[in-house]
Amino acid sequence: MPHKIGFVVVSSSGHEDGFSARELMVHAPTVGGWRSPRFCQFPQEIVLQMVERCRIRKLQLLAHQYMISSKIEFYISESLPEYFVPYQAERFRRLGYVSLCDNTKTGCKARELKSVYVDAVGQFLKLIFHQNHVNKYNIYNQVALVAINIIGDPADFNDENNVTSREKLIDQYLGHNAEDPALDGTYTGKPDYISPLDDLAFDMYQDPEVAQIIRKLDERKHDAVQKERYDYAKKLKQAIADLQKVGERLGRYEVEKRCAVEKEDYDLAKEKKQQMEQYRAKVYQQLELHNLMDAELMRRPFDLPLQPLVHPGSPHHQKPKPSLPQQEERLTEKRAMEPLLQEQPSSRSRSVPPQHATVGQVLPSPGPHPKINVETLPYDERPLPAIRKQQGETHMEYEVSDTDVSEAQKGGISGEPEPLTEKALREASSAIDVLGETLVAGAYSKTWSYREDALLALYKKLMEMPIGTPKEDLKNMLRASIFLIRRAVKDIVTSVFQASLKLLKMIITQYIPKHKLSRLETSHCVERTIPTLLTRTGDSSMRLRIIASNFIQEMALFKEVKSLQIIPTYLVQPLKANSSTHLAMSQIDLLARLLKDLGTEGLGFTTDNVMRFSVSALEHRVYEVRETAVRIILDMYKQHRAFILEYLPPDDNNTRKNILYKTIFEGFAKIDGKPTEAEIRAQKKAATEEVERQKKEEIKVLQGQLAALKEIQMEVQEKESDAMKPKNQDTQGRKTDPPNAPETPDNHYLDHLCIFCGERNESFTEEGLDLHYWKHCLMLTRCDYCKQVVEIASLTEHLLTECDRKDGFGKCYRCSEAVLKEELPRHIKTKDCNPSKSEKLANRCPLCHENFSPGEEAWKAHLMGPAGCTMNLRKTHVLHKVQAPPPGKGSAMTKAGTSGLKAGSKIPTPKRGLSKSSSRTYTKR
């Protein structure tokens, strides 16, 4: 019967860091699978070796959701050449190919499971991946394979010979077929039947521990059917169905926990872990309640010996190919037997307090506390060092007596690092070939001092390499060293981390130049280590963050690395929304520091990539990141000015509502030497307050003048009334009533007086004053645009705020005068205007554009005096009239006054009130 065939990865054409082809050997919900290198050349290939020569019946491929190959070809071979290289095409026989969907219909959110039925015999399978499908997520043009499953049976094994006549009779009598759910996973009467437990979907969506239990229960169900224990088989069948749902649920929890860890949401990860443990314990108690759980089923997949996956029905099942040394096999068997010995009475007192139970223990056992090999447990289920120490003190007596001497020597008591595990041997096989197993074992040791010593020994070894060494050996030594450096860079011990950085610096600055290796080797060193170093800049330890950031900055300035422009390319990658706070802060801080050292002229940083990164960083959730992005943008503006504005939104009120953009644009104004919006508001406020203060002072002075005028007027009226009495008494005998004393109003003094220029004339009636205002008053002028008469002192304010064409004027920030908007740019650009001064320091004439002394009297002296404004056309006309007065002018003016402006004309009321000169004019008279 076809079953799942185990395999190992012989080689691959390349892979991305953390996604080796060896990941395909593991089937689990959280497996990442294989990925090709970034921007790789096609085709890519992977060679698999099956545990035995077999006949392949079915191949299953689980594709990535967006790193999808357009076509995958399959080749099979009986053997490979020596040393497995070079692969000779004639050794492989082509089976065919399959095409994969581009996944556009699902939006690249689903993975395609492709099943291919074949019939081919061999032991080596080669997969060739062709060009990838293009989509917006696959920015590096990679292809990937999440998992592969091989189903077949041994080539020299005939299933038909093993079908017993008894099974045939049962099948014929009951009429069952291969798809009968009553015999799911156990029916072997059909030679082509494939168990659902061997399907790839079962392993990829099931919790590994529960999947192991299901397979054990399935074997028991098969035995129960063989022994005709149908009630027990029915119970096992129901248990398998329930456990499949349990496994899928636990697998989903594991995926959610892994996602929480990647997002650094450790509270959620802890919650999911506890939820898994509680749910698992509850299910196992139910299995025990129904007598379906025993110590054999409790063995986790991590505790099982590493053996090829061979079906029980295969003749090779009795002779498994050993994959561990004999001594390790005995230790594995010993660990597997320990749970079975728990029920036996113990002659020693080995009771364990409840608080010393390990994390890896699923069910409490009434017997003695079992000795658990901590290294075989998953990392997140290992006991804390403090708890392990307490356990060691409690059980020191019996552990020492029961521990194998050889196992004790493996712990490093003899001063040597512990031997490499099977996983480490597979992972570091290339480094072992070059550097030797002893040095690599030290780098993989669990004791930090051995790891540090291994790096220092490697440093010394590289320094002592002679100059005449062949280039190939030098390259192999370098690549093996980089492999160990990448592992050491992730070390949490500071001394080991610093030793790895010291070794990396020596390789780049001394080893490569000394042996005259190409720039390709330098590029390899940087590209393999910089992603891990950038990750360490987000470490929780401030000391490690600072060390990593400083080394990256130092490495970017190496003359061997600077020309490669690799590090700036990594730094301008957009910040991920779920990245840690420390990582985002370190990345943008590194960019700001290196930008000052490297600039934007052909060393990796450009105006485009830096501004795109900075603008996207303005949306980051961390305040420090946004603040640093603003600083980078301002620094870029100092160098490139107008080019930076292309990457920012327009400077308007809506944009300035965002405090970041407001800060940026105000920073631009400071760089350009312009006042900021806040400074302009402060200046306007100060000017307004000064004007209001001056108005209050003028009003106070005018009120005092009015009071003095009223007193003088009363005295004059009394004298006039006294002088009029004798005249009334000397009339020619007529007894007439004396005329009533004239009622002089309070504003009698203002009659026949121009309140603007202070001129008094008997012709200044209401109509005469209108004519005077309209044509002759030296303090007034007519607006050329709306034809209203306004004070010359307020002409600029009138044009900007009151005139019918006020929308067509703008204010020059240099001279503070009103200029037509179409002429304003040229006016500002030419800089020909005379700069204005503060109102406290000087008045500004809108006619001659000159500054003169401040105050009201200064306006009269400037506009009416002979040495004053030369552009006041009314004053020029008056001076000409004084020099050569034409005859009859006075009568003409009198006549004109009668026919002048009528009452109710639109002459604005004076804003400045009475002037001091008016009182003096009256006093002289």
Side-chain angles (χ1 to χ4, degrees), residues 570-573 575 583-591 613:
Y570 279 94
L571 293 180
V572 295
Q573 294 295 326
L575 296 173
L583 184 59
M585 291 171 57
S586 299
Q587 180 176 343
I588 196 168
D589 183 62
L590 262 174
L591 188 146
F613 172 84

Side-chain angles (χ1 to χ4, degrees), residues 582-780:
H582 294 313
L583 184 59
M585 291 171 57
S586 299
Q587 180 176 343
I588 196 168
D589 183 62
L590 262 174
L591 188 146
R593 287 154 55 185
L594 280 177
L595 193 59
K596 294 179 180 179
D597 297 328
L598 300 178
T600 56
E601 301 296 333
L603 290 176
F605 289 125
T606 63
T607 305
D608 182 70
N609 60 27
V610 173
M611 284 303 301
R612 289 183 185 277
F613 172 84
S614 302
V615 172
S616 65
L618 293 176
E619 308 296 331
H620 202 271
R621 68 182 190 279
V622 181
Y623 168 74
E624 289 82 359
V625 173
R626 300 194 299 269
E627 190 177 35
T628 309
V630 171
R631 193 169 70 248
I632 292 174
I633 292 174
L634 294 178
D635 290 341
M636 293 291 290
Y637 185 78
K638 291 178 183 177
Q639 302 175 22
H640 304 284
R641 301 283 175 163
F643 295 104
I644 303 303
L645 299 178
E646 299 176 1
Y647 299 91
L648 298 174
D651 183 9
D652 51 25
N653 293 332
N654 290 332
T655 306
R656 284 183 177 260
K657 291 179 181 178
N658 187 324
I659 189 65
L660 289 176
Y661 287 113
K662 182 179 179 182
T663 305
I664 290 172
F665 288 122
E666 288 185 352
F668 290 170
K670 286 184 179 180
I671 295 171
D672 294 335
K674 300 177 182 178
T676 63
E677 187 177 354
E679 293 174 349
I680 293 174
R681 285 199 304 268
Q683 292 175 359
K684 287 183 178 179
K685 184 178 180 181
T688 304
E689 292 176 352
E690 180 64 22
V691 170
E692 293 294 331
R693 188 184 61 80
Q694 290 181 357
K695 284 183 178 180
K696 289 179 181 179
E697 290 179 356
E698 291 176 1
I699 291 172
K700 188 175 180 180
V701 171
L702 290 174
Q703 287 175 348
Q705 291 176 356
L706 285 174
L709 287 173
K710 286 181 181 179
E711 293 178 1
I712 296 172
Q713 191 172 8
M714 292 299 292
E715 293 176 0
V716 173
Q717 287 177 358
E718 289 177 0
K719 291 179 180 179
E720 290 180 353
S721 61
D722 292 341
M724 290 294 291
K725 285 179 181 180
K727 293 181 180 181
N728 292 333
Q729 293 175 358
D730 294 338
T731 57
Q732 298 176 359
R734 291 183 300 177
K735 294 182 179 179
T736 58
D737 294 332
N740 294 331
E743 295 180 1
T744 304
D746 292 341
N747 60 349
H748 178 71
Y749 171 73
L750 300 178
D751 291 345
H752 311 295
L753 177 69
C754 176
I755 60 175
F756 297 101
C757 64
E759 181 182 355
R760 184 181 293 277
N761 195 320
E762 293 298 327
S763 66
F764 285 177
T765 61
E766 186 175 358
E767 293 182 354
L769 279 174
D770 279 351
L771 180 62
H772 174 72
Y773 295 152
W774 187 254
K775 287 189 175 182
H776 306 295
C777 183
L778 302 181
M779 300 294 291
L780 303 179

